[in-house]
Amino acid sequence: MSGVAGKTARRKQEAALKGIRDTGLDEARLHDYLAHAWRTPNGLYGWLVTVDHKLIARRYMVTAFLFLALAGLSALAMRFQLATPEARHIGPDLYNQLFTMHGTTMMFLFAVPVMEAFAIYLVPLMIGTRNVAFPRLNAFSYWVYLSGGLMIWIAFAFDTGADAGWFSYVPLAGPEYGIGKRPDFWAQMVTYTEVSALAVAVEIIATVFKQRAPGMSLDRIPLYVWSVLVMAFIILFAMPAVMVSSTMLILDRLVGTRFFDPAAGGDALLWQHLFWFFGHPEVYIIFIPATGFVSAILPSFVRRPVFGYLGIVLSLIAIGFLSFGLWVHHMFATGLPQLGESFFTASSMMIAIPSGIQIFCWIATIWGGRPIFATPLLFVLGFIFTFVIGGLTGVMVASVPLDLQVHDTYFVVAHFHYVLVGGAVFPLLGAVYYWFPKITGRMLSERLGRWNFWLVFIGFNLTFFPMHILGLQGMPRRVYTYPPASGWGGTNLFISISSLVVFAGFALLVLNMLLSLRNGRLAGDNPWGASTLEWATTSPPPSYDFSRLPVVTHREPLWAEPDILPVVEGLRVDAREVLAGTVADAVPQLRVPSADNSIWPLLSAVAVGGAFLGSIYTPWAVVWGAIPVSIGFICWFWPKGEPEDEE
């Protein structure tokens, strides 16, 4: 069939379908109609224009794990340098760039995006809808994230990598000491990529509040969805702080303002206050969805609902609030008023209470269940062990006298790796094993998974626990070498060798995924016998998620309705529609059109990225860049003029 004839046939088919609803349609016809309405075009064009939340989330995941690989390789390079005293493998300049790129990549390009990626994939499925609330914004966010991350690493490849740490303290990053364009790239690209994080946060909040399946009242929302909802609110309030501070830094460097120059009335501590107002909630942006993974995985492997649903929800909300009240404990060594030190010591220790409530609820869940020790549960148990250690050392560094002793030593490096890797990466790996069947339709190898767990768990503890000892012995962090007389050589060599075990564990995960994608056992719809809605559809899910939207009558819908899930009918099948309901009780109110595929999110991201990149060299790039940005957004939102369905 020629192209013209094909278009004509397609128009006739669309005209014939105009106004048809899903009421009374048999499954085969319904599938055909919905597959047509929610299709993504084939080929490169389809890859560029799709707004399917599952495809975009998968790209987010793959991209985030590629950035993780880059961060891991930079960490291995640093451990190679530190394995022996006075080594000369890597010079101080490159070492500074490496630890800055490692931290920047882990915090901005891996940890937050990968958590948001899982949320983009899972939230619509878990709450029983067909796409996120703003599909084109979702696509835009991915292109912004990808291009921002690439530009940071391309700058590093051309010896313009940031070298003032992932926190980019002034005056090191200021106009007086910052070398060339290195801090400028860091500041602009961090601001640019955080646009992506904010966009996803807005989507998650709107999707969870307005698009839940009928009957999914607030007390029936899955705990994982509660966790990403709290994460989204933290992002909404925390990310602007780093965007403001990085913008002020670039203004100081390019325009000549003096926000951080004490000689001109500015204040270098202002940078630290703004940065850590974002930086400490950032820990919980990463940690809170990881606890959601735990609350989602546990019930499937202990065969009972999580103990203390309400307690966990309140704990998540409490952590969200408290995360904004303890940023100053990063600045105890800067000379604060004693009253301020006491207040932030108390608030820092207080956050252990809701965190502890969650841990006790999980232990009670395991205690009262019948655990099946599959790979996802092993990673959950590994998380509880490592996070408890990280939490205990967190209470220690929240104490002013001890913090002053171990500040800027390897004790702090050990602490935050136990919190972030133990608290986030272990549950994340459990989530990979748990939802891989849903995403790909194939099971991961259980045997390789167990090897994967033990290599990562043992390698991680052998790598990072000795850093506590190095820190107590006084080894400073962010140094590229140390003298032989320090006595730190043996411990550092042991740590460097142990880091290779962690690397082997992650390599095994990649091998497992590649082998399973090709030859893995077919998963079926619900291989774990889980209770939440994402397991009610096929593996992998179709482009429209559900043929008919489910109705929720219980907190564990698939356990309460094991045979046939009640559904709602009445949505159009000739166009993309989702159901919008009330915030508290999810009572259906409206049928809302869902945006179609479009090239404009990509082109708008290119225009915005170009303006950010140009502004590193001249402020006029902001002025001239506004023109293509405006064109992109106007075309993006240009109305099609189609009449609305009045029924």
Side-chain angles (χ1 to χ4, degrees):
M1 185 180 290
S2 69
V4 175
K7 287 181 182 178
T8 305
R10 191 161 55 247
R11 288 197 188 100
K12 287 182 179 178
Q13 185 183 11
E14 289 171 354
L17 288 173
K18 194 76 176 177
I20 292 182
R21 308 283 182 87
D22 58 6
T23 308
L25 287 178
D26 61 68
E27 284 298 319
R29 291 177 65 201
L30 183 60
H31 167 79
D32 290 342
Y33 293 155
L34 289 173
H36 178 76
W38 290 84
R39 72 188 184 283
T40 291
N42 295 325
L44 177 62
Y45 180 73
W47 197 82
L48 297 175
V49 303
T50 185
V51 293
D52 186 331
H53 73 97
K54 300 176 294 298
L55 297 179
I56 293 170
R58 285 163 56 178
R59 292 176 193 171
Y60 256 111
M61 292 177 198
V62 172
T63 308
F65 275 101
L66 288 175
F67 281 127
L68 172 66
L70 290 173
L73 290 173
S74 60
L76 281 180
M78 287 187 285
R79 289 312 318 172
F80 180 57
Q81 164 66 19
L82 293 173
T84 54
E86 293 191 346
R88 293 290 182 268
H89 310 303
I90 297 173
D93 180 63
L94 179 57
Y95 190 87
N96 287 346
Q97 290 187 65
L98 281 173
F99 81 69
T100 301
M101 292 302 296
H102 173 76
T104 300
T105 303
M106 288 300 291
M107 299 303 283
F108 294 109
L109 303 181
F110 169 67
V112 175
V114 80
M115 293 303 177
E116 291 191 325
F118 273 84
I120 292 168
Y121 193 97
L122 291 172
V123 165
L125 292 166
M126 291 180 108
I127 66 171
T129 187
R130 286 176 172 156
N131 207 340
V132 293
F134 307 111
R136 291 184 180 178
L137 184 64
N138 195 24
F140 174 79
S141 73
Y142 172 73
W143 296 120
V144 167
Y145 160 60
L146 174 67
S147 53
L150 286 177
M151 281 191 272
I152 290 175
W153 272 93
I154 290 171
F156 171 74
F158 285 93
D159 196 27
T160 318
D163 59 354
W166 79 275
F167 36 80
S168 207
Y169 283 157
V170 293
L172 282 176
E176 188 175 357
Y177 298 104
I179 301 173
K181 292 294 180 183
R182 290 178 176 182
D184 305 282
F185 260 98
W186 183 92
Q188 286 301 71
M189 289 304 105
V190 163
T191 307
Y192 178 56
T193 53
E194 294 319 293
V195 171
S196 164
L198 281 172
V200 175
V202 170
E203 296 159 23
I204 290 171
I205 292 170
T207 306
V208 173
F209 278 148
K210 294 303 293 179
Q211 289 187 198
R212 302 196 308 277
M216 186 178 280
S217 50
L218 290 178
D219 61 346
R220 291 176 180 165
I221 294 178
L223 286 170
Y224 171 73
V225 177
W226 267 114
S227 72
V228 297
L229 185 62
V230 174
M231 173 195 75
F233 273 108
I234 298 177
I235 289 175
L236 212 57
F237 290 104
M239 289 295 182
V242 72
M243 296 169 76
V244 167
S245 55
S246 56
T247 302
M248 291 162 73
L249 175 61
I250 200 85
L251 288 173
D252 269 14
R253 293 182 57 85
L254 294 183
V255 184
T257 57
R258 293 289 185 270
F259 289 111
F260 306 117
D261 183 1
D267 191 344
L269 273 188
L270 174 62
W271 170 269
Q272 292 197 39
H273 279 292
L274 285 172
F275 184 84
W276 288 117
F277 183 81
F278 141 81
H280 204 87
E282 164 97 338
V283 172
Y284 296 96
I285 290 169
I286 299 164
F287 168 67
I288 286 178
T291 66
F293 291 148
V294 175
S295 296
I297 293 170
L298 266 184
S300 299
F301 294 96
V302 300
R303 315 309 303 165
R304 60 167 297 193
V306 174
F307 176 83
Y309 175 93
L310 181 59
I312 290 181
V313 172
L314 294 177
S315 296
L316 290 169
I317 296 171
I319 293 172
F321 276 110
L322 289 173
S323 68
F324 287 96
L326 41 82
W327 82 94
V328 177
H329 79 224
H330 290 267
M331 302 165 60
F332 283 157
T334 60
L336 298 170
Q338 195 168 16
L339 182 62
E341 291 178 347
S342 302
F343 174 82
F344 286 101
T345 294
S347 61
S348 300
M349 292 185 177
M350 194 183 297
I351 207 163
I353 297 173
S355 301
I357 289 172
Q358 288 195 83
I359 289 174
F360 283 119
C361 286
W362 294 325
I363 292 173
T365 306
I366 298 171
W367 193 269
R370 291 166 288 146
I372 301 169
F373 292 98
T375 304
L377 186 59
L378 290 179
F379 275 108
V380 166
L381 297 177
F383 150 76
I384 293 175
F385 176 82
T386 52
F387 182 72
V388 167
I389 294 177
L392 290 175
T393 55
V395 173
M396 294 166 71
V397 296
S399 167
V400 176
L402 186 59
D403 181 76
L404 294 177
Q405 293 298 314
V406 300
H407 188 77
D408 274 344
T409 71
Y410 263 82
F411 189 92
V412 179
V413 178
H415 159 66
F416 70 69
H417 278 89
Y418 262 89
V419 171
L420 289 177
V421 178
V425 175
F426 273 85
L428 175 67
L429 294 179
V432 169
Y433 278 89
Y434 184 63
W435 280 296
F436 187 87
K438 177 54 59 181
I439 295 171
T440 67
R442 301 271 181 179
M443 301 294 289
L444 283 168
S445 164
E446 183 66 16
R447 177 179 296 181
L448 290 179
R450 289 172 183 273
W451 275 100
N452 178 192
F453 167 74
W454 286 112
L455 283 173
V456 172
F457 181 76
I458 294 172
F460 170 81
N461 283 286
L462 293 181
T463 300
F464 291 102
F465 193 83
M467 289 186 186
H468 292 104
I469 300 168
L470 277 180
L472 292 174
Q473 291 175 342
M475 181 172 173
R477 54 176 170 158
R478 305 172 197 140
V479 293
Y480 85 106
T481 191
Y482 49 91
S486 63
W488 303 326
T491 310
N492 270 300
L493 180 62
F494 179 79
I495 291 172
S496 296
I497 294 172
S498 300
S499 67
L500 295 175
V501 181
V502 182
F503 179 79
F506 278 94
L508 198 60
L509 170 65
V510 174
L511 177 67
N512 195 355
M513 294 172 77
L514 294 176
L515 292 176
S516 299
L517 278 174
R518 187 177 180 84
N519 300 314
R521 180 165 56 87
L522 290 176
D525 294 350
N526 190 2
W528 309 117
S531 64
T532 40
L533 285 181
E534 77 271 26
W535 303 102
T537 186
T538 58
S539 303
S543 57
Y544 46 87
D545 287 359
F546 301 93
S547 56
R548 288 184 172 86
L549 298 186
V551 174
V552 175
T553 59
H554 193 273
R555 195 178 289 163
E556 314 287 344
L558 298 194
W559 288 350
E561 310 275 358
D563 299 323
I564 300 177
L565 204 61
V567 296
V568 61
E569 293 184 331
L571 272 74
R572 287 174 61 173
V573 298
D574 64 313
R576 300 184 178 204
E577 273 191 349
V578 294
L579 206 55
T582 56
V583 172
D585 298 323
V587 176
Q589 290 177 307
L590 296 169
R591 293 181 293 109
V592 180
S594 184
D596 205 344
N597 303 310
S598 171
I599 193 68
W600 289 107
L602 168 60
L603 297 180
S604 298
V606 171
V608 175
F612 269 90
L613 186 62
S615 66
I616 293 173
Y617 298 95
T618 170
W620 284 102
V622 177
V623 178
W624 293 111
I627 298 173
V629 170
S630 302
I631 293 172
F633 285 133
I634 288 171
C635 295
W636 175 345
F637 293 104
W638 195 262
K640 286 186 176 180
E642 292 183 353
E644 293 188 6
D645 187 350
E646 299 294 338
E647 297 183 45

